[in-house]
Structures are given as C-alpha cells and as structure tokens.
Amino acid sequence: MRVFVPATTTMLRALIDDGEFSPISRTAFAVTPTLREAYSSGDDDELADVALREAARASLRLLGGEGEVDETDGGADADADVDAAAAAAAAGSAPRRVVIAADVDPVTLRPDLDDAVVRLPQPLALRQVASVHVDLAEAEPAVRAAVEAIDAADLGDVDAEFVLGDAEDHELAWYAPQEIPFLLDLM
C-alpha cells in the first residue's frame, strides 16, 4: 500500500543517515476504504492527493513540535524555542513540510483517528521510499505562519484556517529517493 508519512527535514536526514526512521506513533496516511467512502467521486490519484495533503498538514504539527519555527510562544520554553529556531536556521534547516511516500504492507487502518490514517507495522526503511515531497524555498514564510496558526485552526479559528490555506496553496516538489541526499545538501 502506498502511504504518505509526515516528516520534517530533521527526520529526512535521520532516514538518510540511519537507513530508517520511526515516524511519530508510526502514523501515516493512505487511500483507505474509509477515505474512499468519504468521497462520492474521485479516482485513485485524486484520493492519493487527499492523503498526501493530510500528511502535509501533519508535517506542520511536527515542525511546531520540533520548535523549528515557534518564536512567539512567550512561555518558559520561549528562549529554548528561539534558540532551536536559530540553530535550525544556521544549519540551513528552514521550515518546510516534508512528506515521504513509501510502499508498506501490511498497515493497520485507523478510522477511529481519521479517514486516511494508518499505522505502520515497523520503522520506515529507506528501501521502501518511493518519493519525497518537500516545500520549495518560496513556501517558507507561509509554512512558518501556518505552524504558528495550526492549533488555532484546529480549534475552529477561521482566520487561522486561511493562514493554513496560504501554506497549502504551495505545491510540494517531488524528489526521487536517490535525490534526497542532494536535496538535503542544498537546503
């Protein structure tokens, strides 16, 4: 089954360096029977695009969790977040959504979480990767704003949802597995 694994550039580097990585809770997105039922029309490619977009949105949450772009927290961890963001920027790791497309069998369907959610049976191996989808540099400001707005959007804030839409308007660029090391060197 083709799955779409939300990730960050840090996770992508771990995949290249270690040959595998374990996604958070081994969560991924795919064209599941429940996702097919949720759409009255749409071919496999269109449904795969839905799953990929769900993974891209999950990547925003991962970016916020890494502290790569959260500079306005104001809490006790604000200095640590700013330091992490500065270190990431110095290392050339700007905020970009990353989705890893891979072929994995078997997966566990998780319709209790969402229509497209699946759980991977084990860490994702580099040999399973079919492609990687990453934001281009021009998307970085929109992605940074979306990371800061995603929690508010989840709680129903219409303005925050527009901010997410600005990031989601940027298409993710496609890269073959053998291009990943070069991509990381250029970032």
Side-chain angles (χ1 to χ4, degrees):
M1 173 180 271
R2 176 65 48 97
V3 299
F4 300 95
V5 181
T8 64
T9 55
T10 302
M11 294 172 178
L12 193 55
R13 286 181 201 283
L15 176 64
I16 293 300
D17 292 345
D18 302 335
E20 70 176 26
F21 92 103
S22 188
I24 307 261
S25 300
R26 294 199 182 138
T27 298
F29 299 82
V31 178
T32 65
T34 308
L35 182 66
R36 285 185 196 283
E37 287 177 18
Y39 285 83
S40 59
S41 65
D43 62 17
D44 286 345
D45 289 338
E46 291 169 324
L47 293 174
D49 189 55
V50 170
L52 180 124
R53 289 183 181 279
E54 289 294 320
R57 187 171 275 210
S59 178
L60 291 172
R61 290 181 182 89
L62 294 174
L63 284 168
E66 282 188 347
E68 287 185 355
V69 295
D70 186 8
E71 299 175 8
T72 60
D73 180 342
D77 294 331
D79 290 337
D81 289 344
V82 170
D83 291 344
S93 178
R96 296 187 190 191
R97 297 171 297 164
V98 176
V99 176
I100 302 168
D103 296 315
V104 178
D105 279 313
V107 298
T108 304
L109 303 179
R110 293 298 312 266
D112 56 313
L113 296 177
D114 203 279
D115 294 342
V117 176
V118 297
R119 185 171 195 278
L120 305 180
Q122 58 205 19
L124 183 67
L126 184 56
R127 64 179 159 59
Q128 296 172 298
V129 174
S131 62
V132 174
H133 307 264
V134 181
D135 276 312
L136 297 174
E138 53 266 11
E140 291 171 10
V143 170
R144 179 175 280 107
V147 169
E148 293 174 5
I150 193 158
D151 289 338
D154 286 344
L155 295 172
D157 184 318
V158 176
D159 292 332
E161 192 63 45
F162 281 119
V163 172
L164 260 60
D166 289 343
E168 291 171 346
D169 284 344
H170 291 274
E171 291 292 322
L172 299 175
W174 180 95
Y175 297 93
Q178 63 270 24
E179 296 176 304
I180 301 169
F182 303 108
L183 169 67
L184 291 171
D185 284 345
L186 294 172
M187 291 177 67

